[in-house]
């Protein structure tokens, strides 16, 4: 296994953590170490955790640190290899045939090839970061295809031959753990679990992401969100909802709503499910009062 001790001047987890901070992402030692090892060892990074804990944001920040374009492959049930790799522009091929008349035309020229995220990453591994988002939403057949791709970073195009990356591209996979991923896929990756941040870290994230929010407001929102996450909600709020709730409540407060009324009026920003809203409504005042203590 080839080891790259320094990647674009990043020679360890600590320098990477500082650069991620500059990119508006506060990384703890766990994620900065996992990300550094993924870069140094040329292996994919698998980030798992509940929705809204910052997995996709970590990929965006890493791409920013590396100065590369983030190419995102959003997974869904029924996604197939063609949607991830490439397809031929059939209407353009038909138009070219009519225009060519009796002349020869290569229907598999580059101008007819539509590169999808995986092929884009293979063709320019030094310019792009490939994000395979929510891999747990795809089915097992697509996971098996990814297993082959992650083994040697090649794609076979029957009409063109095999496309092989000059060097292993930076690949980040995320999973909300709605189902278990195949063990063979996990073994090909550097793994890191991202949990909900502790209150101090989450308050720092709020103040970094929402510069108009005061520290006291940030800490009250974080405390309230922590209480909400302890409830049996269908869709517990993620970090992004914490930031949005703090911003929304601050906006309402500046327009004349006092605390905690501003928090209560903006609760639809943090809870996005009607059953959750109905469940929490009788208890919201108590939660907000406790968070202000």
């Amino acid at each position: 296994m080839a080891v790259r001790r320094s990647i674009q001047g990043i020679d360890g987890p600590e320098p990477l953590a500082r650069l991620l901070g500059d990119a508006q992402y506060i990384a703890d030692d766990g994620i900065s170490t996992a990300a550094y090892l993924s870069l140094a060892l040329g292996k994919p990074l698998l980030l798992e955790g509940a929705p809204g804990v910052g997995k996709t944001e970590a990929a965006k920040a890493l791409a920013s640190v590396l100065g590369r374009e983030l190419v995102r492959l959003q997974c869904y049930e029924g996604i197939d290899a063609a949607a991830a790799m490439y397809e031929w522009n059939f209407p353009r091929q038909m138009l070219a045939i009519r225009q060519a008349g009796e002349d020869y035309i290569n229907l598999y020229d580059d101008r007819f090839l539509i590169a999808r995220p995986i092929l884009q990453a293979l063709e320019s591994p030094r310019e792009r970061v490939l994000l395979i988002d929510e891999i747990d939403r795809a089915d097992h057949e697509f996971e098996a295809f990814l297993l082959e791709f992650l083994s040697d970073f090649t794609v076979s195009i029957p009409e063109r031959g095999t496309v092989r990356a000059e060097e292993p591209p930076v690949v980040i996979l995320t999973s909300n753990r709605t189902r278990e991923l195949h063990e063979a896929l996990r073994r090909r990756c550097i793994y890191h679990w991202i949990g909900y941040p502790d209150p101090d870290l989450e308050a720092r994230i709020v103040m970094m992401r929402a510069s108009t929010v005061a520290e006291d407001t940030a800490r009250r929102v974080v405390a309230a969100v922590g209480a909400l996450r302890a409830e049996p909600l269908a869709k517990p709020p993620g970090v992004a909802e914490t930031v949005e709730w703090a911003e929304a409540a601050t906006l309402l407060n500046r327009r004349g709503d006092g605390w905690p009324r501003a928090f209560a009026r903006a609760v639809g920003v943090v809870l996005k499910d009607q059953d959750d809203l109905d469940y929490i409504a009788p208890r919201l005042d108590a939660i907000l009062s406790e968070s202000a203590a």
Side-chain angles (χ1 to χ4, degrees), residues 153-225:
F153 295 111
T154 62
V155 164
S156 178
I157 302 178
E159 301 85 356
R160 301 278 295 273
T162 299
V163 179
R164 184 182 302 274
E166 297 177 357
E167 62 179 61
V170 176
V171 180
I172 303 171
L173 301 91
T174 72
S175 168
N176 294 330
R177 210 171 190 177
T178 57
R179 68 171 178 84
E180 285 295 325
L181 301 180
H182 197 284
E183 189 63 28
L185 181 66
R186 292 179 177 275
R187 285 200 301 267
R188 281 168 170 74
C189 302
I190 302 293
Y191 176 83
H192 182 69
W193 171 267
I194 301 182
Y196 290 116
D198 62 56
D200 286 340
L201 177 56
E202 191 161 15
R204 288 172 58 201
I205 294 171
V206 170
M207 289 183 286
M208 172 183 282
R209 294 277 179 170
S211 58
T212 61
V213 175
E215 181 177 355
D216 181 62
T217 302
R219 295 193 179 280
R220 290 177 65 179
V221 168
V222 167
V225 168

Side-chain angles (χ1 to χ4, degrees), residues 22 95 145 234 251 273 293:
D22 293 340
L95 178 61
F145 156 73
L251 178 62
D273 182 90

